[in-house]
Amino acid sequence: MGVFLLSSPAFLVFFSFFTFCLLVDPVLGITRHYKFDVKLHNVTRLCHTRSIVSVNGQFPGPRIVAREGDQLLIKVVNHVPNNVSIHWHGIRQLQSGWADGPAYVTQCPIQTGQSYVYNFTIIGQRGTLFWHAHISWLRATLYGPIIILPKRGIPYPFAKPYKEVPIVFGEWFNADPEAVISQALQTGGGPNVSDAYTINGLPGPLYNCSAKDTFKLKVKPGKTYLLRLVNAALNDELFFSIANHTLTVVDVDAVYVKPFETETLLITPGQTTNVILKTKPSYPNATFFMTARPYVTGQGTFDNSTVAGILEYESSPNSLHSSIMLPLFKPILPALNDTSFATKFASKLRSLASAQYPANVPQKVDKHFFFTVGLGTSPCQHNQTCQGPNGTKFAASVNNVSFAMPTTALLQAHFFGQSNGVYTPDFPSSPITPFNYIGSPPNNTMVSNGTKVVVLPFNTSVELVMQDTNILGAESHPLHLHGFNFFIIGRGFGNFDPNKDPAKFNLIDPVERNTVGVPSGGWVAIRFLADNPGVWFMHCHLEVHTSWGLKMAWIVLDGELPTQKLLPPPADLPKC
């Protein structure tokens, strides 16, 4: 009977139909397969040819395209001498913490000649995110966009665009970025800055030897374009503008926002922003620069240059415009240190907070945390000359704890109950030694070191205030939390006042993000629900600060239901 059923045409039709339903179910989504071959290949920018680490020979790397609800199986094969891991930045990773990607946090890195299949499902997210290497400074060249479309049949909450275009900002180093950070950590000084910023890997005509390496966005008059902006730069927040055009912000970090118009936007490393560009109704007889340059708040050196792409209008086939040299308009960007603009721009971001896209802000708080974030120093090794302040080494910390990366992945140690000697669950919930954080710096600028974590019971509602410090000068810090989105309920300048400032918190429609800039000389308050079991990294997305220790980790314990528990590790999980 079984043989008859298996060979029955009726059964085959049913089986095929059943399989088809599984593959295209609009709720469950489909399974999408990608293969990332991490290899070395030569790339020339600014008349410098360098062997870079890349995926599938592409720079930037390939785009991932999926719909909300889809499962992704991405096989990463390491063909380079470096250890590699890939982070799917902003993906919630519900119950799939083994696929998050930060080296020595959720996995050991993929060693040379080895591979790992990242297996995760996109749940409740739509918009733009990105993937990047998450070990040392490899993400200087290992990155690419993640485009998450809504489920089939569900429209955008804005008019459907004529075309969608990823625009990924990056940084180019003529030297090997791994050598740059290695030298800085050895000498204790600040690392050399990048030689150019890039748009989709291209520096543009404002740099020497780069006119041919210019990103050109060709558009038609009277059309609507959705620009998917990603800041994949290592160390710089960026202003961005297109000359003589207004942009409408509709989505940040894969969450819809109340639309608002702006001529310029600010985007920090780790953030994404979707904007609507409405082109001019008729051919404008001109071309337009789109430029980005840094927003700078710190005391150190920075790459003071500007990347430019060109917005070109397509003329009709019978037009004579193409043979004429058209005037080129340039946008006026804010001053490099325009904190006023940065503050006003951030204040415009609000969640949709609609019935379809609610802002589920935790209204009660189970645990309050107060974290200071900023720079400090560590002692110079004996018989060594260091280039940090007063002969020390630069360091960075959260609550004066500079995070020491373990040699065993934290998630493995936690899952198998083998934390002894790997980490301690005693990360301070507030500074051990309070001081005037934005006033005169304390005499002792030394940080402590440790692999300390915060442990949270499942479903704990958390309020976290992050305060910038003036120990080595106030500075903006884009903090990224893995495994969660959070609501930015308040921000301000000076020292956070727990008696007065909470009265001004927005608990109605605060913006929901995965990366937030802690204001220079100020503070930001966020809330999130710890509903995702696992080990979750939190760090500054300025790579130099992460290298100096501005990072920590949260452990969220399992809940009681099967859907609230971290699944066992996959068989191919890399070993240290």
Side-chain angles (χ1 to χ4, degrees), residues 7 104 135 153 160 201 296 323 359 422 424 431 433 445 533 573:
S7 59
Y104 302 107
I135 182 168
K160 185 179 179 180
V296 182
S323 61
V422 180
T424 55
T433 308
T445 62
L573 185 73

Side-chain angles (χ1 to χ4, degrees), residues 469-489:
T469 65
N470 193 31
I471 292 177
L472 293 179
E475 189 168 355
S476 175
H477 298 279
L479 265 290
H480 171 51
L481 175 61
H482 291 226
F484 300 94
N485 282 349
F486 50 76
F487 292 95
I488 303 171
I489 58 173

Side-chain angles (χ1 to χ4, degrees), residues 174 219 226 262 267 361 380 440:
N174 287 333
V219 298
L226 181 67
T262 184
I267 184 167
V361 190
C380 193
S440 299

Side-chain angles (χ1 to χ4, degrees), residues 196-220:
Y197 299 107
T198 57
I199 295 177
N200 291 346
L202 302 171
L206 301 183
Y207 296 100
N208 290 333
C209 193
S210 286
K212 65 178 178 32
D213 293 325
T214 300
F215 172 71
K216 293 183 178 180
L217 176 58
K218 295 186 177 182
V219 298
K220 295 182 178 180

Side-chain angles (χ1 to χ4, degrees), residues 251-303:
D251 183 305
V252 297
D253 292 1
V255 181
Y256 296 131
V257 296
K258 290 184 172 73
F260 67 92
E261 292 186 348
T262 184
E263 293 182 357
T264 304
L265 58 88
L266 175 65
I267 184 167
T268 79
Q271 288 184 341
T272 62
T273 305
N274 283 2
V275 297
I276 296 286
L277 167 68
K278 290 184 178 178
T279 57
K280 298 184 181 300
S282 58
Y283 187 81
N285 288 325
T287 55
F288 306 90
F289 261 159
M290 52 176 78
T291 59
R293 76 173 183 201
Y295 164 53
V296 182
T297 57
Q299 310 291 315
T301 56
F302 62 95
D303 179 353

Side-chain angles (χ1 to χ4, degrees), residues 16 49 178 183 197 225:
S16 298
T49 300
E178 292 297 280
Q183 179 187 28
Y197 299 107
Y225 292 78

